Amino acid sequence: MGTSRGAAGARRPGGRTARVREKVLEAVGPLLVEYGFDGLTVDAVAARSGVHRATVYRRWRDVGGLLADALDAAGDDGWSPPDTGSLEGDLRALNGEVQEALTEEPSVALAMIAASFRSEEAARSLRRFWEERYDRCVAIVDRAVARGELEPPVEARKLVVSSTSPVYHHRVLLHAAPGPELPAEAARAAVLAARAGAFRSPPGAPSGRRSADQPAAAAGPGT
Amino acid sequence: MGTSRGAAGARRPGGRTARVREKVLEAVGPLLVEYGFDGLTVDAVAARSGVHRATVYRRWRDVGGLLADALDAAGDDGWSPPDTGSLEGDLRALNGEVQEALTEEPSVALAMIAASFRSEEAARSLRRFWEERYDRCVAIVDRAVARGELEPPVEARKLVVSSTSPVYHHRVLLHAAPGPELPAEAARAAVLAARAGAFRSPPGAPSGRRSADQPAAAAGPGT
């Protein structure tokens, strides 16, 4: 989990390379939420981070490279899904995290999603970021099966996406304020569906885990 | 349903105003999918439609006005949700329409979603478009209740969003290819959840219909 990408060079924790990367990537989110994709330039990142622009150009090349590495760094944070003791509690807490990330002001998450429509490199990195997050969330379903809350086999990823997607849908697609009750309601609906037999894997099917490099839409979302 | 917006002037079906509007709006989608938001300009729309640029500027003002009116016109198409005779069949057919709109090449729907991150006016119009579509979809749930498939009261809009949102999630958020089985699976999960008691309205709560001008997120998604 959490390998840094080539563009940022080999990481030596605590070393100069790591410190430069940290400084540069720390500038990306604030610039993106403050000035939008059009205001996020290599020069602006260099100026804000205090790192020489030649260094930024050499290591990250362009805004796509900066966004991709910022997303890779964000995915490298040791995050693990909530563990509340019940399937519904875990999904509710996860949805709460999603809702908070999408509604806080400013929302780096929302700005990254918007950027993914401008840069194919950012779109690829966002997809990788999410694939990995959903892979980690398989633990929620594994624990539920171990507790006897669900009967295996269950397509874990589909169950978790079923729970989270209404929250994203309201905020990102409908551009509407998700109600405070939405995280809990969407989690409950997913649990009820799962208990009633949705998300059953067909016999012999692989688990819900997906490889990050599994083929996806050929066309990126670019402009 | 389907009132045109002031920006486009009063519509007289078959009149000159209506023909000009039709020509102008017909140019918006193709330019958007071909050149992206940055290539969609008032001048380009004027050139492609053959309508004088002064007319386009006067009536639509800018790209935001053009996108908003194109979305209003798209919402004015007399669309009604599928009516297959069963709740699951209706939701499956609806998801199939969504998936097709999002995966066809080029996808005007996907381009409009991308544009909604660039223009607050487009974001507002897209929200209005979707609110109205979901309002029409309440009929799916009303019919299911009338057939005895669901026990009332049901929050119709939440049920329908629960069914459609995984399809949008894969294509638009995850930038991943939705599998061909997704429309049916997401519909089935929503039906199972509904039958198990999800989406129950609290007593005395209003129906699933939402007014298009119900307050939503204060901040648009702008750049």
Short mmCIF file of all heavy atoms in Angstrom, two decimals, chain B residues 28-75:
data_model
loop_
_atom_site.label_atom_id
_atom_site.label_comp_id
_atom_site.label_asym_id
_atom_site.label_seq_id
_atom_site.Cartn_x
_atom_site.Cartn_y
_atom_site.Cartn_z
N VAL B 28 -24.64 23.54 -29.21
CA VAL B 28 -23.92 23.54 -27.92
C VAL B 28 -23.32 22.16 -27.60
O VAL B 28 -22.12 22.04 -27.32
CB VAL B 28 -24.86 24.01 -26.78
CG1 VAL B 28 -24.20 23.82 -25.42
CG2 VAL B 28 -25.23 25.48 -26.99
N GLY B 29 -24.17 21.12 -27.65
CA GLY B 29 -23.71 19.78 -27.29
C GLY B 29 -22.53 19.30 -28.14
O GLY B 29 -21.50 18.90 -27.61
N PRO B 30 -22.67 19.36 -29.49
CA PRO B 30 -21.56 18.91 -30.34
C PRO B 30 -20.26 19.68 -30.08
O PRO B 30 -19.18 19.07 -30.05
CB PRO B 30 -22.08 19.16 -31.75
CG PRO B 30 -23.57 19.08 -31.61
CD PRO B 30 -23.89 19.63 -30.26
N LEU B 31 -20.35 21.00 -29.89
CA LEU B 31 -19.13 21.77 -29.62
C LEU B 31 -18.53 21.35 -28.28
O LEU B 31 -17.30 21.24 -28.14
CB LEU B 31 -19.44 23.28 -29.60
CG LEU B 31 -19.60 23.92 -30.98
CD1 LEU B 31 -20.16 25.33 -30.83
CD2 LEU B 31 -18.26 23.97 -31.72
N LEU B 32 -19.39 21.11 -27.30
CA LEU B 32 -18.91 20.74 -25.97
C LEU B 32 -18.18 19.40 -26.00
O LEU B 32 -17.10 19.26 -25.43
CB LEU B 32 -20.10 20.69 -24.99
CG LEU B 32 -19.76 20.52 -23.51
CD1 LEU B 32 -18.94 21.70 -23.00
CD2 LEU B 32 -21.05 20.38 -22.69
N VAL B 33 -18.77 18.42 -26.67
CA VAL B 33 -18.10 17.11 -26.67
C VAL B 33 -16.87 17.12 -27.57
O VAL B 33 -15.90 16.41 -27.32
CB VAL B 33 -19.05 15.96 -27.09
CG1 VAL B 33 -20.17 15.78 -26.08
CG2 VAL B 33 -19.62 16.16 -28.47
N GLU B 34 -16.89 17.98 -28.59
CA GLU B 34 -15.76 17.98 -29.53
C GLU B 34 -14.57 18.77 -28.99
O GLU B 34 -13.43 18.32 -29.09
CB GLU B 34 -16.21 18.55 -30.87
CG GLU B 34 -15.33 18.16 -32.04
CD GLU B 34 -16.00 18.50 -33.38
OE1 GLU B 34 -17.26 18.57 -33.43
OE2 GLU B 34 -15.26 18.68 -34.36
N TYR B 35 -14.84 19.94 -28.41
CA TYR B 35 -13.75 20.83 -28.01
C TYR B 35 -13.66 21.07 -26.51
O TYR B 35 -12.76 21.78 -26.05
CB TYR B 35 -13.88 22.18 -28.74
CG TYR B 35 -13.90 22.03 -30.23
CD1 TYR B 35 -15.06 22.21 -30.96
CD2 TYR B 35 -12.73 21.68 -30.93
CE1 TYR B 35 -15.08 22.06 -32.35
CE2 TYR B 35 -12.74 21.52 -32.30
CZ TYR B 35 -13.92 21.72 -33.01
OH TYR B 35 -13.93 21.56 -34.36
N GLY B 36 -14.60 20.51 -25.75
CA GLY B 36 -14.58 20.71 -24.31
C GLY B 36 -15.08 22.08 -23.92
O GLY B 36 -15.36 22.94 -24.77
N PHE B 37 -15.15 22.30 -22.62
CA PHE B 37 -15.67 23.57 -22.10
C PHE B 37 -14.86 24.75 -22.63
O PHE B 37 -15.42 25.80 -22.96
CB PHE B 37 -15.63 23.54 -20.57
CG PHE B 37 -16.22 24.76 -19.93
CD1 PHE B 37 -17.58 24.86 -19.70
CD2 PHE B 37 -15.41 25.82 -19.54
CE1 PHE B 37 -18.14 25.99 -19.11
CE2 PHE B 37 -15.95 26.95 -18.95
CZ PHE B 37 -17.31 27.03 -18.73
N ASP B 38 -13.54 24.59 -22.71
CA ASP B 38 -12.71 25.71 -23.14
C ASP B 38 -12.92 26.07 -24.61
O ASP B 38 -12.65 27.19 -25.03
CB ASP B 38 -11.23 25.41 -22.88
CG ASP B 38 -10.93 25.38 -21.39
OD1 ASP B 38 -11.40 26.29 -20.68
OD2 ASP B 38 -10.25 24.44 -20.93
N GLY B 39 -13.41 25.11 -25.39
CA GLY B 39 -13.64 25.38 -26.80
C GLY B 39 -15.06 25.85 -27.08
O GLY B 39 -15.39 26.20 -28.22
N LEU B 40 -15.89 25.81 -26.04
CA LEU B 40 -17.27 26.25 -26.22
C LEU B 40 -17.34 27.75 -25.97
O LEU B 40 -17.30 28.20 -24.83
CB LEU B 40 -18.18 25.49 -25.22
CG LEU B 40 -19.67 25.82 -25.29
CD1 LEU B 40 -20.29 25.32 -26.60
CD2 LEU B 40 -20.41 25.22 -24.10
N THR B 41 -17.42 28.52 -27.02
CA THR B 41 -17.50 29.98 -26.90
C THR B 41 -18.75 30.47 -27.63
O THR B 41 -19.30 29.76 -28.48
CB THR B 41 -16.27 30.65 -27.53
OG1 THR B 41 -16.28 30.34 -28.94
CG2 THR B 41 -14.97 30.15 -26.91
N VAL B 42 -19.16 31.66 -27.29
CA VAL B 42 -20.33 32.24 -27.96
C VAL B 42 -20.05 32.36 -29.46
O VAL B 42 -20.91 32.05 -30.29
CB VAL B 42 -20.68 33.62 -27.35
CG1 VAL B 42 -21.74 34.32 -28.18
CG2 VAL B 42 -21.17 33.45 -25.91
N ASP B 43 -18.82 32.76 -29.80
CA ASP B 43 -18.50 32.90 -31.21
C ASP B 43 -18.56 31.56 -31.94
O ASP B 43 -19.06 31.47 -33.07
CB ASP B 43 -17.09 33.51 -31.37
CG ASP B 43 -17.09 35.01 -31.05
OD1 ASP B 43 -18.19 35.56 -30.81
OD2 ASP B 43 -16.02 35.63 -31.05
N ALA B 44 -18.05 30.50 -31.30
CA ALA B 44 -18.09 29.18 -31.94
C ALA B 44 -19.53 28.72 -32.13
O ALA B 44 -19.87 28.12 -33.16
CB ALA B 44 -17.30 28.17 -31.10
N VAL B 45 -20.37 28.99 -31.13
CA VAL B 45 -21.78 28.59 -31.24
C VAL B 45 -22.46 29.37 -32.37
O VAL B 45 -23.23 28.82 -33.16
CB VAL B 45 -22.51 28.81 -29.89
CG1 VAL B 45 -24.03 28.68 -30.05
CG2 VAL B 45 -22.00 27.81 -28.85
N ALA B 46 -22.15 30.67 -32.44
CA ALA B 46 -22.73 31.49 -33.51
C ALA B 46 -22.31 30.95 -34.88
O ALA B 46 -23.14 30.76 -35.78
CB ALA B 46 -22.30 32.94 -33.34
N ALA B 47 -21.01 30.66 -35.01
CA ALA B 47 -20.50 30.19 -36.30
C ALA B 47 -21.15 28.87 -36.69
O ALA B 47 -21.59 28.69 -37.83
CB ALA B 47 -18.98 30.04 -36.23
N ARG B 48 -21.23 27.94 -35.75
CA ARG B 48 -21.77 26.63 -36.08
C ARG B 48 -23.26 26.66 -36.36
O ARG B 48 -23.77 25.92 -37.20
CB ARG B 48 -21.47 25.64 -34.94
CG ARG B 48 -21.77 24.20 -35.31
CD ARG B 48 -21.44 23.28 -34.15
NE ARG B 48 -21.52 21.89 -34.54
CZ ARG B 48 -20.48 21.07 -34.65
NH1 ARG B 48 -19.26 21.51 -34.42
NH2 ARG B 48 -20.63 19.80 -34.98
N SER B 49 -23.97 27.51 -35.63
CA SER B 49 -25.43 27.54 -35.78
C SER B 49 -25.88 28.41 -36.95
O SER B 49 -27.01 28.32 -37.40
CB SER B 49 -26.07 28.07 -34.49
OG SER B 49 -25.69 29.43 -34.28
N GLY B 50 -24.98 29.29 -37.41
CA GLY B 50 -25.37 30.21 -38.48
C GLY B 50 -26.22 31.36 -37.98
O GLY B 50 -26.80 32.10 -38.78
N VAL B 51 -26.30 31.53 -36.67
CA VAL B 51 -27.05 32.64 -36.10
C VAL B 51 -26.06 33.77 -35.81
O VAL B 51 -24.94 33.53 -35.36
CB VAL B 51 -27.79 32.20 -34.81
CG1 VAL B 51 -28.43 33.39 -34.10
CG2 VAL B 51 -28.84 31.15 -35.15
N HIS B 52 -26.48 35.01 -36.04
CA HIS B 52 -25.56 36.13 -35.86
C HIS B 52 -25.06 36.20 -34.42
O HIS B 52 -25.83 36.05 -33.47
CB HIS B 52 -26.26 37.45 -36.23
CG HIS B 52 -25.30 38.55 -36.53
ND1 HIS B 52 -24.62 39.23 -35.53
CD2 HIS B 52 -24.85 39.06 -37.69
CE1 HIS B 52 -23.82 40.12 -36.07
NE2 HIS B 52 -23.93 40.04 -37.40
N ARG B 53 -23.76 36.45 -34.27
CA ARG B 53 -23.18 36.44 -32.92
C ARG B 53 -23.81 37.50 -32.01
O ARG B 53 -23.95 37.29 -30.81
CB ARG B 53 -21.66 36.58 -32.96
CG ARG B 53 -21.13 37.82 -33.64
CD ARG B 53 -19.63 37.68 -33.91
NE ARG B 53 -18.83 37.72 -32.70
CZ ARG B 53 -18.45 38.84 -32.10
NH1 ARG B 53 -18.83 40.01 -32.57
NH2 ARG B 53 -17.71 38.81 -31.02
N ALA B 54 -24.23 38.62 -32.58
CA ALA B 54 -24.88 39.65 -31.75
C ALA B 54 -26.17 39.11 -31.15
O ALA B 54 -26.51 39.39 -30.00
CB ALA B 54 -25.16 40.90 -32.58
N THR B 55 -26.88 38.30 -31.93
CA THR B 55 -28.11 37.69 -31.42
C THR B 55 -27.80 36.72 -30.28
O THR B 55 -28.49 36.70 -29.25
CB THR B 55 -28.82 36.92 -32.57
OG1 THR B 55 -29.02 37.83 -33.65
CG2 THR B 55 -30.15 36.36 -32.12
N VAL B 56 -26.75 35.93 -30.49
CA VAL B 56 -26.41 34.93 -29.45
C VAL B 56 -25.98 35.66 -28.17
O VAL B 56 -26.43 35.31 -27.07
CB VAL B 56 -25.29 33.98 -29.95
CG1 VAL B 56 -24.97 32.94 -28.87
CG2 VAL B 56 -25.73 33.28 -31.23
N TYR B 57 -25.13 36.68 -28.32
CA TYR B 57 -24.71 37.44 -27.13
C TYR B 57 -25.90 38.07 -26.43
O TYR B 57 -26.00 38.06 -25.20
CB TYR B 57 -23.69 38.53 -27.52
CG TYR B 57 -22.26 38.04 -27.58
CD1 TYR B 57 -21.61 37.88 -28.80
CD2 TYR B 57 -21.57 37.73 -26.40
CE1 TYR B 57 -20.30 37.42 -28.85
CE2 TYR B 57 -20.26 37.27 -26.45
CZ TYR B 57 -19.62 37.11 -27.68
OH TYR B 57 -18.34 36.66 -27.72
N ARG B 58 -26.82 38.63 -27.22
CA ARG B 58 -27.93 39.35 -26.62
C ARG B 58 -28.84 38.39 -25.84
O ARG B 58 -29.26 38.68 -24.73
CB ARG B 58 -28.72 40.08 -27.71
CG ARG B 58 -29.72 41.11 -27.15
CD ARG B 58 -30.37 41.90 -28.27
NE ARG B 58 -31.15 41.06 -29.17
CZ ARG B 58 -30.87 40.85 -30.46
NH1 ARG B 58 -29.83 41.42 -31.03
NH2 ARG B 58 -31.65 40.07 -31.20
N ARG B 59 -29.13 37.25 -26.44
CA ARG B 59 -30.10 36.36 -25.80
C ARG B 59 -29.49 35.46 -24.74
O ARG B 59 -30.14 35.10 -23.77
CB ARG B 59 -30.75 35.46 -26.85
CG ARG B 59 -31.65 36.22 -27.75
CD ARG B 59 -32.79 35.35 -28.25
NE ARG B 59 -33.43 36.04 -29.35
CZ ARG B 59 -33.94 35.42 -30.41
NH1 ARG B 59 -33.88 34.10 -30.48
NH2 ARG B 59 -34.49 36.10 -31.36
N TRP B 60 -28.24 35.03 -24.96
CA TRP B 60 -27.68 34.02 -24.04
C TRP B 60 -26.51 34.56 -23.23
O TRP B 60 -26.06 33.92 -22.32
CB TRP B 60 -27.28 32.76 -24.80
CG TRP B 60 -28.46 31.96 -25.24
CD1 TRP B 60 -29.10 31.00 -24.51
CD2 TRP B 60 -29.15 32.02 -26.50
NE1 TRP B 60 -30.13 30.46 -25.22
CE2 TRP B 60 -30.19 31.07 -26.45
CE3 TRP B 60 -28.99 32.78 -27.66
CZ2 TRP B 60 -31.07 30.86 -27.52
CZ3 TRP B 60 -29.86 32.56 -28.72
CH2 TRP B 60 -30.89 31.63 -28.65
N ARG B 61 -26.00 35.72 -23.59
CA ARG B 61 -25.00 36.46 -22.82
C ARG B 61 -23.63 35.79 -22.81
O ARG B 61 -22.64 36.40 -23.21
CB ARG B 61 -25.47 36.66 -21.36
CG ARG B 61 -24.84 37.84 -20.67
CD ARG B 61 -25.31 37.97 -19.23
NE ARG B 61 -24.90 36.87 -18.38
CZ ARG B 61 -25.68 35.91 -17.90
NH1 ARG B 61 -26.98 35.91 -18.18
NH2 ARG B 61 -25.21 34.96 -17.14
N ASP B 62 -23.56 34.52 -22.36
CA ASP B 62 -22.25 33.86 -22.28
C ASP B 62 -22.44 32.34 -22.30
O ASP B 62 -23.56 31.84 -22.45
CB ASP B 62 -21.47 34.32 -21.05
CG ASP B 62 -22.25 34.06 -19.76
OD1 ASP B 62 -23.19 33.24 -19.78
OD2 ASP B 62 -21.90 34.68 -18.74
N VAL B 63 -21.33 31.65 -22.12
CA VAL B 63 -21.37 30.19 -22.20
C VAL B 63 -22.25 29.59 -21.10
O VAL B 63 -22.97 28.61 -21.34
CB VAL B 63 -19.92 29.64 -22.12
CG1 VAL B 63 -19.92 28.14 -21.87
CG2 VAL B 63 -19.18 29.95 -23.42
N GLY B 64 -22.21 30.21 -19.92
CA GLY B 64 -23.08 29.73 -18.84
C GLY B 64 -24.54 29.80 -19.24
O GLY B 64 -25.31 28.86 -19.00
N GLY B 65 -24.94 30.88 -19.89
CA GLY B 65 -26.32 31.03 -20.33
C GLY B 65 -26.68 30.02 -21.41
O GLY B 65 -27.79 29.47 -21.41
N LEU B 66 -25.73 29.74 -22.29
CA LEU B 66 -25.97 28.74 -23.34
C LEU B 66 -26.13 27.35 -22.75
O LEU B 66 -27.05 26.60 -23.11
CB LEU B 66 -24.81 28.75 -24.34
CG LEU B 66 -24.82 29.92 -25.35
CD1 LEU B 66 -23.45 30.06 -26.00
CD2 LEU B 66 -25.91 29.71 -26.40
N LEU B 67 -25.23 27.00 -21.82
CA LEU B 67 -25.31 25.67 -21.21
C LEU B 67 -26.61 25.53 -20.42
O LEU B 67 -27.28 24.49 -20.48
CB LEU B 67 -24.12 25.46 -20.27
CG LEU B 67 -22.80 25.14 -20.96
CD1 LEU B 67 -21.65 25.24 -19.95
CD2 LEU B 67 -22.83 23.73 -21.56
N ALA B 68 -26.95 26.58 -19.68
CA ALA B 68 -28.17 26.52 -18.87
C ALA B 68 -29.39 26.32 -19.76
O ALA B 68 -30.25 25.49 -19.49
CB ALA B 68 -28.30 27.80 -18.04
N ASP B 69 -29.45 27.06 -20.86
CA ASP B 69 -30.62 26.94 -21.73
C ASP B 69 -30.63 25.60 -22.46
O ASP B 69 -31.69 25.02 -22.68
CB ASP B 69 -30.66 28.11 -22.72
CG ASP B 69 -32.08 28.29 -23.28
OD1 ASP B 69 -33.05 28.08 -22.52
OD2 ASP B 69 -32.21 28.64 -24.47
N ALA B 70 -29.45 25.09 -22.81
CA ALA B 70 -29.39 23.77 -23.45
C ALA B 70 -29.91 22.70 -22.49
O ALA B 70 -30.62 21.78 -22.89
CB ALA B 70 -27.96 23.45 -23.88
N LEU B 71 -29.56 22.83 -21.21
CA LEU B 71 -30.05 21.86 -20.22
C LEU B 71 -31.55 22.01 -20.02
O LEU B 71 -32.28 21.02 -19.88
CB LEU B 71 -29.31 22.04 -18.89
CG LEU B 71 -27.92 21.40 -18.87
CD1 LEU B 71 -27.09 21.96 -17.72
CD2 LEU B 71 -28.06 19.88 -18.72
N ASP B 72 -32.03 23.26 -20.02
CA ASP B 72 -33.48 23.46 -19.89
C ASP B 72 -34.22 22.85 -21.08
O ASP B 72 -35.27 22.23 -20.92
CB ASP B 72 -33.79 24.96 -19.78
CG ASP B 72 -33.43 25.50 -18.40
OD1 ASP B 72 -33.17 24.68 -17.49
OD2 ASP B 72 -33.39 26.73 -18.23
N ALA B 73 -33.65 23.05 -22.25
CA ALA B 73 -34.28 22.48 -23.45
C ALA B 73 -34.26 20.95 -23.38
O ALA B 73 -35.23 20.29 -23.75
CB ALA B 73 -33.56 22.97 -24.71
N ALA B 74 -33.14 20.40 -22.88
CA ALA B 74 -33.05 18.94 -22.77
C ALA B 74 -34.09 18.41 -21.78
O ALA B 74 -34.64 17.31 -21.96
CB ALA B 74 -31.64 18.54 -22.31
N GLY B 75 -34.38 19.21 -20.75
CA GLY B 75 -35.37 18.79 -19.76
C GLY B 75 -36.79 18.89 -20.27
O GLY B 75 -37.73 18.36 -19.68
#
